[in-house]
Amino acid sequence: MANKEITKKQFEFLEHEFNYLEKEGVISQQEKVRMLGSYEVKGNLNFITILLSIGALLLGLGVLTFVASNWIYLSKAVKFLLIIAGLTGVNFAGVKVQARLPKTSRSLHYAGILIFGAGIFLIEQMFNISINFNSSFLLWAIGTIFIGYYLKDVFVLLFTSFLLFIYINGSIFVDETSYPLAILIFLPALYIVLKKFDYPKYLAFFINALAINTIALFLMEFVPKLGFENSNTIVLSILFVLGIVLAYIPVRAKLQNITHIQGHILHGITALFLTFDFSIWFPLAYFVFLLYLILKGSLTSIVIICALIFRYYIYSFDFLPKSLTFIIGGIMLIGFGFFFENQRKKGGELNE
């Protein structure tokens, strides 16, 4: 049987409890040792990891600033060789020490990622290659996703997602003649990697956000070209429905909470904008829907209701006494708090 991975805090709790059972004579010392041996503490961020990561960052920045400050005095061949040597050198060193010093190895690969990204921009400048900056971030992301998969490193893949955020948003807002079609290959690849890594929650959150961002940008780009009169309302309505779908779509247990929260956030934000486009029936119906979600134990819906109240508070600022608005909002929140506390005492479940 493989040892179960738990956090250090959980391990210390179990150790404390087993010591108590041993002291009371419920289990023997051998049984305590055997049971504790069934668990393994997860590798968390520790001082050494943080130290090495900062060291990798400083190393990468130091090399790059040195090259940049002496850039005009170097020939193109020397510049190119310096970039290649730096990139291959730190990655080769990382591979060589991986078995003996895994954390040091990882920090060297981090430095390699920084040198790789900076090298892309420096080579473009050196050879006067004229491409959009977002395409440079795409090339950087291509390199990091392979390194992240090789290292099985969630932080590298989070960094890849960050690079792709810049890529897709830059493609839409900077160059209107090109579309970030490469994201259609990247997103499935990222979800495959997510499955391989057993769905870490931070990575799942960022990849989902990247997918939602991509859908929103494509809608904003292509719906107006279809010639509809109220294209903004159509885009917001589609995203609103998408949020509802995400809030209830059945997904894997490890993804469920993240996907559902993101769905509630999406339909909440789009609904606030739609209240400006639709008549009063929409906010009233949506308010009833939010009350239904709260009855089901949705804490996120309370935040959305607060935002909805604030939106109408601004609208009614000129004719509704400020104190009355605060009193109404306070009464509602206290009411929700009383409801949830009462539900919890009855054994009801809260979620999100």
Side-chain angles (χ1 to χ4, degrees), residues 240 243 263-273 286 290 304 307-308:
F240 175 76
H264 286 308
I265 292 173
L266 182 60
H267 73 66
I269 292 174
T270 51
L272 287 175
F273 284 102
Y286 186 63
L290 291 175
I304 301 173
L308 197 62

Side-chain angles (χ1 to χ4, degrees), residues 206-221:
F206 273 92
I207 293 176
N208 279 349
L210 183 64
I212 294 169
N213 190 180
T214 302
I215 293 170
L217 288 178
F218 273 105
L219 289 171
M220 290 167 61
E221 181 65 27

Side-chain angles (χ1 to χ4, degrees), residues 75-149:
S75 65
K76 286 185 178 180
V78 173
K79 294 172 183 174
F80 185 74
L81 287 175
L82 276 175
I83 295 168
I84 298 300
L87 181 62
T88 54
V90 293
N91 281 299
F92 179 75
V95 172
K96 291 293 288 182
V97 301
Q98 186 170 3
R100 193 164 55 89
L101 302 168
K103 291 176 181 174
T104 302
S105 166
R106 196 161 295 251
S107 68
L108 289 170
H109 287 301
Y110 290 165
I113 289 171
L114 290 177
I115 294 173
F116 175 64
I120 292 172
F121 292 98
L122 291 175
I123 288 173
E124 287 173 8
Q125 181 188 5
M126 190 167 54
F127 295 105
N128 296 320
I129 301 172
S130 179
I131 60 174
N132 289 332
F133 80 95
N134 56 298
S135 299
S136 304
F137 280 94
L138 174 63
L139 292 175
W140 198 354
I142 291 172
T144 57
I145 192 172
F146 285 112
I147 295 174
Y149 184 76

